[in-house]
Amino acid sequence: DAGVIQSPRHEVTEMGQEVTLRCKPISGHDYLFWYRQTMMRGLELLIYFNNNVPIDDSGMPEDRFSAKMPNASFSTLKIQPSEPRDSAVYFCASSLGYLEQFFGPGTRLTVL
Amino acid sequence: AQSVTQLDSHVSVSEGTPVLLRCNYSSSYSPSLFWYVQHPNKGLQLLLKYTSAATLVKGINGFEAEFKKSETSFHLTKPSAHMSDAAEYFCVVSDPQGAQKLVFGQGTRLTINP
């Protein structure tokens, strides 16, 4: 298995633009997580899904952020409009039940 | 609420010497505890986990951790450091309200000196 796949690996955009981050979880996993990592706040859970259904989105910072999981093999995290303070590394992770979470390599987002 | 405190933001050791990364947790319930490692520009990888079985947990790459309820600690150790151990290490506790919700410590950066 290729592991959790994220794209793009790097994204540079200008303030106000829409940004879409993509994630393909490990096949057969039923949980999917989106995290954000910054120097100031460390690693934060933004939202997680179970069987494609959002379970807890209390970590989503504001309405500019939205996440979807249209099927078991794909999820997106969208920021619209983006702001410089959204600059961070965004990780996607997946797991099978209450087992180990496998992390993707991350997307480094820079908003100018 | 669950929380973890990593007592050192940066630890530096010489190659071949022991490693100790300290972690204290706060939990109202019997927690599940984890250590993850993050190498530069990489995702996180699970080193080991404690889920109320043996209090001494062995992980990958020679790491182990001991759960001490009386001290609310879960320190990570390795007898002999290797250059490839240089990375960021995260102590993590699971939230019983949503067992899959992980709460991360701030991380400890481990530097290995030749």
Side-chain angles (χ1 to χ4, degrees), chain B residues 11 26 40:
Chain B
V11 170
S26 173

Side-chain angles (χ1 to χ4, degrees), chain B residues 30-33 49-57 65-68 74:
Chain B
S30 296
S32 291
L33 293 158
K49 61 183 176 183
Y50 166 78
T51 54
S52 74
T55 56
L56 183 61
V57 183
E66 186 172 7
F67 174 72
K68 291 186 176 180
F74 190 59

Side-chain angles (χ1 to χ4, degrees), chain B residues 25 68-73:
Chain B
Y25 69 91
K68 291 186 176 180
K69 186 175 181 179
S70 60
E71 299 176 9
T72 61
S73 69

Side-chain angles (χ1 to χ4, degrees), chain A residues 37 56 91 95 97 101 104, chain B residues 36 38 43-44 46 100-102:
Chain A
Q37 185 178 37
D56 187 338
F91 288 102
S95 71
Q101 291 187 24
Chain B
Y36 277 81
Q38 184 181 25
L44 282 79
L46 181 68
Q100 275 295 56
K101 285 187 70 172
L102 301 181

Side-chain angles (χ1 to χ4, degrees), chain B residues 21-106:
Chain B
L21 304 183
R22 298 181 295 165
C23 173
N24 286 103
Y25 69 91
S26 173
S27 173
S28 302
Y29 305 89
S30 296
S32 291
L33 293 158
F34 311 80
W35 277 97
Y36 277 81
V37 61
Q38 184 181 25
H39 290 277
N41 300 314
K42 301 286 188 183
L44 282 79
Q45 180 184 17
L46 181 68
L47 274 179
L48 50 81
K49 61 183 176 183
Y50 166 78
T51 54
S52 74
T55 56
L56 183 61
V57 183
K58 294 188 183 299
I60 62 173
N61 301 334
F63 284 94
E64 62 182 37
E66 186 172 7
F67 174 72
K68 291 186 176 180
K69 186 175 181 179
S70 60
E71 299 176 9
T72 61
S73 69
F74 190 59
H75 301 334
L76 181 70
T77 60
K78 182 173 181 177
S80 177
H82 191 273
M83 294 299 291
S84 61
D85 294 329
E88 187 94 13
Y89 291 79
F90 294 92
C91 183
V92 184
V93 64
S94 66
D95 182 341
Q97 298 303 312
Q100 275 295 56
K101 285 187 70 172
L102 301 181
V103 176
F104 286 76
Q106 286 299 306

Side-chain angles (χ1 to χ4, degrees), chain A residues 18-29:
Chain A
E18 177 179 296
V19 175
T20 299
L21 311 181
R22 297 172 175 82
C23 175
K24 177 178 168 56
I26 293 172
S27 177
H29 282 189

